Amino acid sequence: MRLRFALGLALLALTLPAAAQQKYLRNSGDWDAVKAAHLLRRAGFGGTPAEVQQLAAAGRDAAVDQVMNYELLPDDVEQRLAYLNLDLTRPGQPLQIWWLFRLAETSRPFQEKMILFWHDHFATGISKVRQPSYMIQQNQFLRRYALANFRTILMGISQDPAMMVWLDTVLNHRGRPNENYAREVMELFTVGIGNYTEQDIKEAARAFTGWSLVNGQFFFNSRDHDIGNKTFFGQTRNFNGNDIVDVLVARPATGRYLGRKLWEFFAYPNPEPELVEELAQVYLGSGYSIRAVMSAILRSDAFYSPNAIGALVKSPAEVVTFVLRQFPYFRDQRLLGQVVGDMQRMGQVLFNPPSVAGWRWGLEWINTGSVLARSNFVNRVLTLRTQPATGPAIAESLRNAGVTTPGQIVDYYAARFLPLPLTASKRQTLIDFLQTEDNGQPFKFDLNGASADSRVRQLMFLLLADATFQLN
Amino acid sequence: MAYNRREFLKKSFRIMAAGLAVPQFLAHTAYGAETRGASAAENTNVLVVIQFTGGNDGINTVIPFGEAAYYSNRTILGIPSQNVLSLDGKIGLHPSLAKFKELLDKGVAAIVNGVGYPNPNRSHFRSMDIWHTAQPEIYGTTGWLGRYGDGNLVQIRSTAPAVHIGTDVPLALHGDQLDVASIDTIGNFRLQTDERFPSSRQLVLDRYKLLHQDATQDPTQQFIQNVSVDALLASEDLQRLASGYQPAVPYPTTGLGNALRTIAQALSASLGTRIFYAQIGGFDTHANQLNTHANLLAQFAEAVSAFYADMVAKQQADRILIMTFSEFGRRVAQNGSNGTDHGTAGPMFVVGSKVRGELFGSYPSLTDLDQGDLKFNTDFRQVYATVLTRWMGVDAGSILGGDFAPLGFLV
């Protein structure tokens, strides 16, 4: 099944007219453990050494296939979520825990990463929507259609109850239009600023009239629909809402806008204009397939280039999810509520972006309050009280991996946690740290000694609180 | 998704170019003393912004009880005239604002009526962004206080020049370079280490500092390192210097009470903070407004009264200015749910010993309306200009992108 899929993809690649001319999206197939770890961090939330090793042995195309074809992986998150007995009847922490649990436990991290992208792109906030069930419905829609055709995604989101409340589609009436959705669907979801006129917004708003919610479900109220002619993007006819979606999806500007946003989320900021053009061609040539665009991104030499490795800043969701997924003993359910609080102090509340424009990314995540929150989250996870006094046998697992000396221990965790190598000076600082007593006196580190466990945990803290870890 | 600091790599290059590549703490020694011992020419005034989030109903805050139209439009929501705290026989304050009225009577508080902007926007998000950016005509990405800070606070070498009581950074404080400390409580604003091993704490913090001073060619890491060191130093200073703080009066244990108490505590640490920002939410009273609104106004009045009394006792009252605002007022007429819908113009309050305790702006007409809403007569940027020029001592034009005539509410 997988072979046929890979062949199918290869055939698709051959039929795309632009494939032969692609420069940034060229796939030379180069592969190694650094690229494998990078893929796991970007198309997911990082991997354990075993996961990195498995992917490193696979080669670029097979690795990307494995990551992207997540529907082939069994996932029991839904059943396990039911056991948490979360009260999802009112806005609050339980709703965030509902998603945080998935992030930490899913066997399909790329799927969740795509949902995070779409959640930011179609930013919808429970502060206005007020109904957790609506937010969950939108989230599940994105889960199902994360890599679908963009027409399917945009149509579904346009008629999604949370979105209809969020951007006032439900307040847009024949004769009394509300332009909120018409504006944002163009400005933020498809073609982007400068690629439409105020008149386009007014006319699109008229086309969207009649879109209503009845008992929490989309209902087209024809009596409230303005059936007159509208002039939209230079054409005049009695456009309805579906037509507006169709037009916007097909615009080359949408290909560029989406291509650029996906690249900035997954690869690096400020992509070269030619690269954006290549991505737009993939979007248009594939009939608006998000899967095709993501496949091109994740297979491209530019994605694995030095410009990309470590070029992003981890968002709060990526910080917590990376850390939680590193060790099973980090994933204690009692932690989840506190982690949600930590994420808030880092500046990100799932299901509640600051505005319809989503969150601000990159270095915008970094301020004095948020860096303290990141470090304190790491400290919380590493010092979880419910663990036995000596914690899981850290010493034993290190010994089993053949990691016993301070140098080996620092190298092991640095390679595991960081997207870029430690500088020689930092490495030495950490090695010295393992061999220093609390009072500052040197001492001989012994992995079997009584203080080894706490020192190694403190080492992990210093690495996960380091500036390099904040990069992705 | 947005990269508001343009391309974040470029931003880091700007910081390096400005000579701030070195962590702040290496650039100064007793910075607390620096700002405390500032020369008379140096402005150390502090601005405390209190945001009423949700759209405060100005008409039931500063009440035109002398107008028949008030009662005819608000048959349920109208506050009986005998309960209104009269200011001039025609307008007065909601009874829940009794403690604020005391400040007015002392001459240390002022009201600016009818504040708004042209082509008012009734969307929470858009209108709040307009108040934060002071840019009604474009979709701005920096805040008026962020721009003020970029030009004036980045150089003062404080590890916490601007403090937000909360967990994010409001757009108003977003600048290209200004670092904003988001503090929810002073207790939380601390780098935590394993409490089972308190004897290790100093060693861990020393190594943390060392690692964050690593010489790096990567401007992004340099920026993160600088912010981290500032965070550690600010938190250590706050813990050390603020732990001795005792409020001179009891603060109400409400959300705003706690926030203002935290501000007072942070002020006592003399970190050189010039801007504090706090929020009180819940003002979006579309239904059953009476009790909710009364409680919110009481929360504000009691918290501000305690804070001001604390400042007086600590002899800081003449260097603090409190300014309140909301993203819009609400409609003249009550709606069918005993509440009010989004409106336009509203009042702003200012408090401080250097305030001229009078009424500014004029109370908008309740009958000459803009689609059922009040017409503004004072552009909010005039209030900002007053604060920037006459309180913070800087040129407002470059920050606000235009000239706005200051008002006379500062002595």
Side-chain angles (χ1 to χ4, degrees), chain B residues 125-395:
Chain B
F125 315 102
R126 181 63 194 133
S127 199
M128 189 62 91
D129 280 357
I130 287 172
W131 279 82
H132 280 212
T133 58
Q135 294 168 329
E137 291 95 28
I138 65 169
Y139 285 81
T141 56
T142 56
W144 70 288
L145 292 170
R147 296 194 294 276
Y148 158 74
D150 280 351
N152 300 281
L153 296 186
V154 175
Q155 305 85 322
I156 68 169
R157 303 175 179 176
S158 161
T159 50
V163 170
H164 173 235
I165 307 302
T167 59
D168 60 342
V169 178
L171 181 56
L173 294 170
H174 269 261
D176 285 331
Q177 296 181 50
L178 179 67
D179 187 29
V180 180
S182 286
I183 299 178
D184 54 347
T185 67
I186 295 209
N188 277 343
F189 197 73
R190 175 183 184 269
L191 191 71
Q192 319 274 19
T193 51
D194 193 339
E195 286 166 20
R196 285 173 296 184
F197 301 96
S199 55
S200 305
R201 178 175 169 80
Q202 204 45 58
L203 184 69
V204 171
L205 292 186
D206 283 345
R207 295 301 180 263
Y208 181 97
K209 270 184 219 167
L210 199 56
L211 290 165
H212 285 89
Q213 287 167 240
D214 196 61
T216 174
Q217 299 299 326
D218 178 357
T220 307
Q221 289 192 69
Q222 182 68 72
F223 177 79
I224 298 174
Q225 288 183 184
N226 290 354
V227 171
S228 302
V229 170
D230 282 350
L232 183 57
L233 291 180
S235 66
E236 285 185 325
D237 277 336
L238 263 181
Q239 299 303 324
R240 180 167 50 89
L241 298 170
S243 60
Y245 162 79
Q246 287 296 332
V249 298
Y251 278 80
T253 53
T254 57
L256 187 64
N258 291 335
L260 292 180
R261 189 186 188 285
T262 301
I263 290 175
Q265 192 173 8
L267 256 174
S268 76
S270 292
L271 295 183
T273 311
R274 302 288 303 286
I275 301 176
F276 289 97
Y277 201 104
Q279 302 187 33
I280 169 174
F283 284 88
D284 192 23
T285 49
H286 284 281
N288 300 316
Q289 171 176 315
L290 276 174
N291 283 345
T292 307
H293 194 228
N295 289 338
L296 289 170
L297 293 179
Q299 188 183 151
F300 160 70
E302 283 156 24
V304 130
S305 170
F307 179 72
Y308 186 75
D310 198 12
M311 292 296 102
V312 168
K314 305 277 165 57
Q315 292 165 336
Q316 298 293 305
D318 53 357
R319 57 182 289 254
I320 55 114
L321 177 71
I322 299 158
M323 182 192 91
T324 75
F325 79 97
S326 192
E327 69 262 43
F328 40 65
R330 302 185 85 83
R331 272 176 148 18
V332 175
Q334 69 193 31
N335 64 22
S337 315
N338 295 335
T340 48
D341 297 319
H342 301 178
T344 52
M348 292 174 73
F349 297 149
V350 287
V351 180
S353 73
K354 292 289 172 77
V355 165
R356 180 174 283 121
E358 294 167 13
L359 303 178
F360 297 88
S362 42
Y363 202 93
S365 164
L366 293 183
T367 49
D368 175 25
L369 300 173
D370 167 17
Q371 295 171 65
D373 288 319
L374 302 179
K375 289 184 178 171
F376 83 101
N377 52 70
T378 305
D379 193 301
F380 73 96
R381 288 165 288 182
Q382 287 187 264
V383 179
Y384 287 3
T386 315
V387 170
L388 289 168
T389 54
R390 300 199 180 157
W391 187 246
M392 311 308 280
V394 299
D395 170 58

Side-chain angles (χ1 to χ4, degrees), chain A residues 187 338 351:
Chain A
E187 178 182 334
Q338 295 168 45
F351 295 112

Side-chain angles (χ1 to χ4, degrees), chain A residues 360 364 368 376 425 438 468, chain B residues 4-5 179 192 199 214 221:
Chain A
R360 297 182 176 90
E364 288 291 329
T368 45
N376 290 342
S425 43
D438 288 347
T468 311
Chain B
N4 279 341
R5 288 175 181 165
D179 187 29
Q192 319 274 19
S199 55
D214 196 61
Q221 289 192 69

Side-chain angles (χ1 to χ4, degrees), chain A residues 295-334:
Chain A
S295 179
I297 289 176
L298 297 179
R299 283 173 219 277
S300 69
D301 290 345
F303 177 75
Y304 296 100
S305 67
N307 278 348
I309 311 270
L312 299 179
V313 174
K314 284 192 179 76
S315 59
E318 291 165 297
V319 168
V320 310
T321 308
F322 181 99
V323 172
L324 292 176
R325 290 179 74 91
Q326 278 299 306
F327 298 106
Y329 55 84
F330 281 174
R331 295 194 285 279
D332 188 299
Q333 288 165 21
R334 285 160 289 192

